Each structure stands twice: as C-alpha cells, then as structure tokens.
Amino acid sequence: MISIYKLKPAFQSLLRPMVKKLYDAKITANQVTVAACVGSLIIAAIMAFFLPNTLVLWLMPIWMFVRMALNAIDGMLAREFNQQSKLGAYLNELCDVIADSALLAVFIFIAGINGYAVLLIIFLAFLSEYAGVMAPLIGASRRYDGPMGKSDRAFVFGTLSVVIALNLIDIYWINIVLYIVIALLIYTIFNRIRQGIRETQSSQE
C-alpha cells in the first residue's frame, strides 16, 4: 500500500549525522519525543490564536516537517544508541496522538471548514494508530500500513494549509478533500487489522 512512511529509511539516513551529535550532547530519545509533543501544542495554539488570519497556516507545513524529523530522530536514538525503554514506548505512542489531535484541531477554527469532518478525522486517526498498536497483542509487529498513516496525514494537512493560506481554491474543495481523508482513514484501519492478522497467519504456516 502506497504511503509516505516507506520513505522513512532514506529520511533517516539524512538525519543520522545529526542524531550522532544529539547523542554526544547527552540528548535522550524521550526528551526528543516530549519536545516534539510540546512543540506541536505550542504551534497549534499559536495558529488557533491568530486565525482567521490564514497566513499563520504557513507554520503548519514547516512544523509538520520538523516534527517528522523529530519523530525519526527519537526512534533512531532509541534503537541505535540503546535508549529503548518501557516509558519511551508509552511516550512515543501517547505523544503522537496528542500532537496529531492538537494540530488537526486547528482546522476547526478556519472559516468554512466542516468542523465535524475534522473531529471525525481526529477520531479515526486515533483509531488507526490504536489498530497499529494492537497488532503486537496478537503476535504481529506494530503496523504502520497506509494509505493514511501519520506521515501521510502530515503531508495532506501541510499541503492543505498552504493551499488555504494562498487562497488557491474554494473552501468547498478543501472539505471534499477532508471527506476523502475520512474514507482513506477508514480503509487504513481496515488495512492495519488485515495486515496484522495476515502476518500472524504467515508466521504459523
């Protein structure tokens, strides 16, 4: 299934020199995880405060990229520098959900946007991550299947923010995109469940 998540290995290779410097500076994976979450809450609050001035939405794609880098960095610090911990596993999942929800909620404050669609996207995004986290409970690996995983949502909503800031298309079409995202999230949930079950069946053969 097509997903931006598949580009993660190449992205990690670009970040590896920076990760080594952070490790040398005694920065831990958990600190990066928490920083990404707190940063997301601050950026979301700033955007919500300055709306309806849509120019503030330029912060969204910039922060989405920074956050994606921070998410890759905390994982690399944990895996490659022996910083994995039980607390880190909790922080990684919980902070992602909190950050996602805060950033997506900003769209509720944009004039003309269907707020109910945004709330449904937040709920379905939570369910999709929960479906991925549940896979180890049945003996599968943590599932990141698309087509609307965390990285894909970051790309879509970062792009929508730029489109809205530049007033490139009518807000009606933005709502249409939100409905498409809803459909893709529903499929993502189904796909993660299916792939998790398929993985356990394959291991038993």
Side-chain angles (χ1 to χ4, degrees):
M1 182 59 61
I2 297 174
S3 174
I4 293 175
Y5 181 79
K6 293 185 178 181
L7 299 176
K8 188 174 182 179
F11 190 47
Q12 288 177 327
S13 296
L14 295 174
L15 294 172
R16 190 157 279 109
M18 184 186 299
V19 173
K20 179 62 168 62
K21 291 181 180 179
L22 291 173
Y23 173 74
D24 292 339
K26 308 299 182 184
I27 303 297
T28 68
N30 288 352
Q31 289 172 340
V32 175
T33 301
V34 173
C37 183
V38 172
S40 295
L41 293 175
I42 293 172
I43 293 296
I46 291 172
M47 288 189 288
F49 180 80
F50 283 101
L51 284 169
N53 184 348
T54 55
L55 288 178
V56 74
L57 291 176
W58 279 101
L59 286 174
M60 183 73 80
I62 295 171
W63 177 251
M64 286 291 197
F65 180 80
V66 172
R67 181 179 165 233
M68 190 161 53
L70 292 174
N71 285 341
I73 288 169
D74 69 3
M76 293 169 71
L77 281 171
R79 289 189 304 274
E80 299 178 14
F81 294 94
N82 196 32
Q83 294 185 2
Q84 291 177 316
S85 66
K86 294 177 180 178
L87 174 61
Y90 275 105
L91 288 176
N92 189 55
E93 297 297 343
L94 293 175
C95 286
D96 270 350
V97 172
I98 293 170
D100 263 356
S101 299
L103 292 169
L104 296 182
V106 170
F107 282 78
I108 296 173
F109 299 94
I110 300 174
I113 289 289
N114 186 331
Y116 293 109
V118 176
L119 289 174
L120 182 56
I121 286 172
I122 293 172
F123 176 67
L124 291 173
F126 168 78
L127 284 185
S128 70
E129 296 308 312
Y130 192 59
V133 170
M134 286 184 67
L137 297 179
I138 63 169
S141 59
R142 203 304 193 180
R143 303 305 310 181
Y144 295 97
D145 309 277
M148 193 49 63
K150 180 175 62 179
S151 300
D152 306 295
R153 295 194 298 273
F155 175 78
V156 169
F157 282 92
T159 302
L160 287 180
S161 296
V162 172
V163 169
I164 295 171
L166 295 176
N167 196 27
L168 294 179
I169 61 176
D170 188 84
I171 206 72
Y172 168 83
W173 296 106
I174 302 296
N175 285 321
I176 294 297
V177 173
L178 295 182
Y179 303 144
I180 294 173
V181 170
I182 288 171
L184 291 176
L185 275 169
I186 292 172
Y187 182 74
T188 297
I189 295 168
F190 166 78
N191 195 33
R192 290 185 176 185
I193 294 171
R194 180 181 62 178
Q195 296 298 340
I197 294 173
R198 180 177 294 175
E199 181 182 343
T200 59
Q201 291 175 337
S202 297
S203 64
Q204 294 172 358
E205 292 178 354

